[in-house]
Amino acid sequence: MNLPDLERQLAFLKEIDRLKSIVRLTPLIDRSRRENSAEHSWHLAMYALVLAEHAAGTVDVLRVVKMLLIHDIVEIDAGDVPFHVPATHEGQAERERLAAERLFGLLPDAQAAEFRELWFEFEAAQSDDAKFAKALDRFQPMLHNAATEGGTWVECEVTLEQVESRCRPPIERGSPTLWTVAAQLAEEHFRGASQES
Amino acid sequence: MNLPDLERQLAFLKEIDRLKSIVRLTPLIDRSRRENSAEHSWHLAMYALVLAEHAAGTVDVLRVVKMLLIHDIVEIDAGDVPFHVPATHEGQAERERLAAERLFGLLPDAQAAEFRELWFEFEAAQSDDAKFAKALDRFQPMLHNAATEGGTWVECEVTLEQVESRCRPPIERGSPTLWTVAAQLAEEHFRGASQES
């Protein structure tokens, strides 16, 4: 046992407890409150375990799960920027990069490097694993919106065209099957909303 | 694509959103509120990724992570019973067994069987993977208690002897190293508490 390494590991595990206090715009399905980024990360890891067969490419489930478990940790320093509020996105990439350096840097060097590289790979969304992980990160909020009479679509006043232009590329690239489902859910919501108005 | 299978997968992923509303006794480290079982499961999966080298046996990290991601899903039906409140434990094993049948049974048959078996393996805590997963599930609340001036140790009025008799076997079996750390944290807390009284 390398005690300094274990101390660094425990300091990191205590620090990331703060992800439970980062609140996203997305509602829980029962609409009792908004989702936080820690429980969102758990949910996405479950999506990866359950839906891996629908990935576009050949994926390594452990790598996809790791990416999803760590993908939002940077928000502890950088905060969450809502996907459908583009005005908040400026400068966020740099804030998140600095956050990744500080937060993963709490770990022993080899683990810090592994997590940093996994996080950059997720952000770049070029590998099959990252494309699928990113697709799930975009797909899950669509399911929540569809199940809550519009969720952030209504709150952020987005159109069906905006949903398609923003969500289709990242989801379809990682899983054409899941995009088919998501597109249908969005169409049903917006068709219903236009009939009501 | 087998559409009925995908529909079952999505129904399961929506249903388990309810785990975010199952509240445990354990406080967040900043003491702003209690932890819920979904974010707890995320945190434990991170513990597994970070601390795997300290496992007593040879572990398959993906299997350990899977166990930890699914281990509390039964609480959606059965509720959480606080570890340090033994009076609540009666009948819980049977309630959880029924919950596992219903909840994992929402999935396509092969996945339902896989998750059920993993959950039973975790509960039995006989395999190296399950021993390590169970050790982490007992270790994380000790870190939170130590970081919050006693947490559930104070709230449930447990003694150092009770902490040792309840926590040492499951933690030491999965990771002697982590038990060494946990025992030291508990001793420091209870020594400090006795000096104050």
Side-chain angles (χ1 to χ4, degrees), chain A residues 145-156:
Chain A
N145 285 346
T148 56
E149 296 182 10
T152 63
W153 295 331
V154 171
E155 185 167 0
C156 300

Side-chain angles (χ1 to χ4, degrees), chain A residues 1 9 13 16-17 20 28-29 33 35-36 38-39 41-43 50 53-54 69 111 144 177, chain B residues 1 9 13 16-17 19-20 28-29 33 35-36 38-39 41-43 50 53-54 69 111 144 177:
Chain A
M1 178 181 64
Q9 290 166 330
L13 291 169
I16 64 172
D17 198 55
K20 300 168 189 171
L28 298 194
I29 289 178
R33 60 173 173 80
E35 186 183 44
N36 72 58
E39 62 198 5
S41 301
W42 165 78
H43 210 173
V50 169
E53 69 188 277
H54 306 294
L69 290 172
Q111 285 186 324
H144 281 233
T177 302
Chain B
M1 178 182 64
Q9 290 166 331
L13 291 169
I16 64 171
D17 198 55
L19 193 61
K20 300 168 189 172
L28 298 193
I29 288 178
R33 60 173 173 81
E35 186 183 44
N36 73 57
E39 62 198 6
S41 300
W42 164 77
H43 211 172
V50 169
E53 68 189 278
H54 307 295
L69 290 172
Q111 285 186 323
H144 282 232
T177 302

Side-chain angles (χ1 to χ4, degrees), chain A:
Chain A
M1 178 181 64
N2 182 333
L3 193 61
D5 275 3
L6 178 54
E7 280 172 10
R8 293 178 74 169
Q9 290 166 330
L10 298 180
F12 172 79
L13 291 169
K14 282 167 73 173
E15 178 73 0
I16 64 172
D17 198 55
R18 294 168 58 200
L19 193 61
K20 300 168 189 171
S21 301
I22 304 294
V23 179
R24 298 160 43 79
L25 271 194
T26 308
L28 298 194
I29 289 178
D30 70 4
R31 298 195 236 184
S32 56
R33 60 173 173 80
R34 297 182 193 272
E35 186 183 44
N36 72 58
S37 292
E39 62 198 5
H40 167 69
S41 301
W42 165 78
H43 210 173
L44 288 186
M46 289 299 307
Y47 272 62
L49 294 186
V50 169
L51 300 175
E53 69 188 277
H54 306 294
T58 305
V59 294
D60 176 330
V61 175
L62 178 58
R63 294 189 82 249
V64 174
V65 166
K66 281 185 179 183
M67 280 182 201
L68 291 168
L69 290 172
I70 69 166
H71 83 291
D72 271 346
I73 285 176
V74 293
E75 295 180 357
I76 289 171
D77 285 359
D80 177 59
V81 292
F83 183 60
H84 287 302
V85 188
T88 63
H89 297 186
E90 196 183 326
Q92 183 66 2
E94 177 61 9
R95 285 191 292 276
E96 291 189 352
R97 195 190 61 73
L98 292 170
E101 294 297 331
R102 186 187 80 79
L103 288 155
F104 299 136
L106 297 172
L107 286 163
D109 294 348
Q111 285 186 324
E114 184 202 350
F115 282 12
R116 255 195 315 260
E117 282 160 26
L118 269 174
W119 181 78
F120 279 117
E121 181 179 336
F122 172 81
E123 286 297 305
Q126 295 299 314
S127 69
D128 283 342
D129 291 342
K131 281 181 199 165
F132 184 54
K134 189 70 94 175
L136 296 176
D137 190 31
R138 297 291 174 242
F139 177 69
Q140 183 252 16
M142 290 189 69
L143 236 67
H144 281 233
N145 285 346
T148 56
E149 296 182 10
T152 63
W153 295 331
V154 171
E155 185 167 0
C156 300
E157 299 180 337
V158 297
T159 64
L160 179 58
E161 290 67 35
Q162 285 173 322
V163 170
E164 285 179 346
S165 70
R166 291 171 186 171
C167 299
R168 181 177 188 151
I171 297 178
E172 196 169 45
R173 205 157 44 211
S175 173
T177 302
L178 294 183
W179 173 250
T180 302
V181 172
Q184 193 177 331
L185 290 171
E187 277 161 30
E188 282 168 12
H189 166 75
F190 284 92
R191 198 185 309 131
S194 72
Q195 283 172 347
E196 282 164 23
S197 65

Side-chain angles (χ1 to χ4, degrees), chain B:
Chain B
M1 178 182 64
N2 181 333
L3 193 62
D5 274 3
L6 178 53
E7 279 171 13
R8 293 177 74 169
Q9 290 166 331
L10 297 179
F12 172 79
L13 291 169
K14 282 167 72 173
E15 178 73 0
I16 64 171
D17 198 55
R18 294 168 58 199
L19 193 61
K20 300 168 189 172
S21 301
I22 304 294
V23 180
R24 298 160 43 79
L25 271 194
T26 308
L28 298 193
I29 288 178
D30 70 5
R31 298 194 236 185
S32 57
R33 60 173 173 81
R34 297 181 194 272
E35 186 183 44
N36 73 57
S37 292
E39 62 198 6
H40 167 70
S41 300
W42 164 77
H43 211 172
L44 289 186
M46 289 300 306
Y47 271 63
L49 295 186
V50 169
L51 299 175
E53 68 189 278
H54 307 295
T58 306
V59 294
D60 176 332
V61 175
L62 177 57
R63 293 189 82 250
V64 174
V65 166
K66 280 185 179 183
M67 279 181 201
L68 291 168
L69 290 172
I70 69 166
H71 82 292
D72 272 346
I73 285 177
V74 293
E75 294 179 357
I76 289 170
D77 284 359
D80 177 59
V81 292
F83 183 60
H84 286 304
V85 188
T88 63
H89 297 186
E90 195 182 326
Q92 183 66 2
E94 178 61 10
R95 285 190 294 275
E96 292 189 351
R97 195 190 60 74
L98 292 170
E101 294 297 331
R102 185 186 82 78
L103 288 155
F104 299 135
L106 296 172
L107 286 163
D109 294 349
Q111 285 186 323
E114 185 202 350
F115 282 13
R116 255 196 314 259
E117 282 161 25
L118 269 175
W119 181 79
F120 279 117
E121 182 179 335
F122 172 81
E123 286 297 305
Q126 294 300 313
S127 68
D128 283 342
D129 291 342
K131 280 181 200 166
F132 184 55
K134 188 70 94 174
L136 296 175
D137 191 31
R138 298 290 175 243
F139 176 69
Q140 183 251 17
M142 290 190 71
L143 236 67
H144 282 232
N145 286 346
T148 56
E149 295 183 9
T152 63
W153 294 331
V154 172
E155 185 167 2
C156 300
E157 299 180 337
V158 297
T159 64
L160 178 59
E161 290 66 35
Q162 285 173 322
V163 170
E164 285 179 346
S165 70
R166 291 171 186 170
C167 299
R168 180 177 189 151
I171 297 178
E172 196 168 45
R173 204 157 45 211
S175 174
T177 302
L178 294 183
W179 174 249
T180 303
V181 172
Q184 193 177 333
L185 290 170
E187 276 160 31
E188 282 168 12
H189 166 75
F190 284 92
R191 198 184 310 130
S194 72
Q195 283 172 348
E196 283 164 22
S197 64

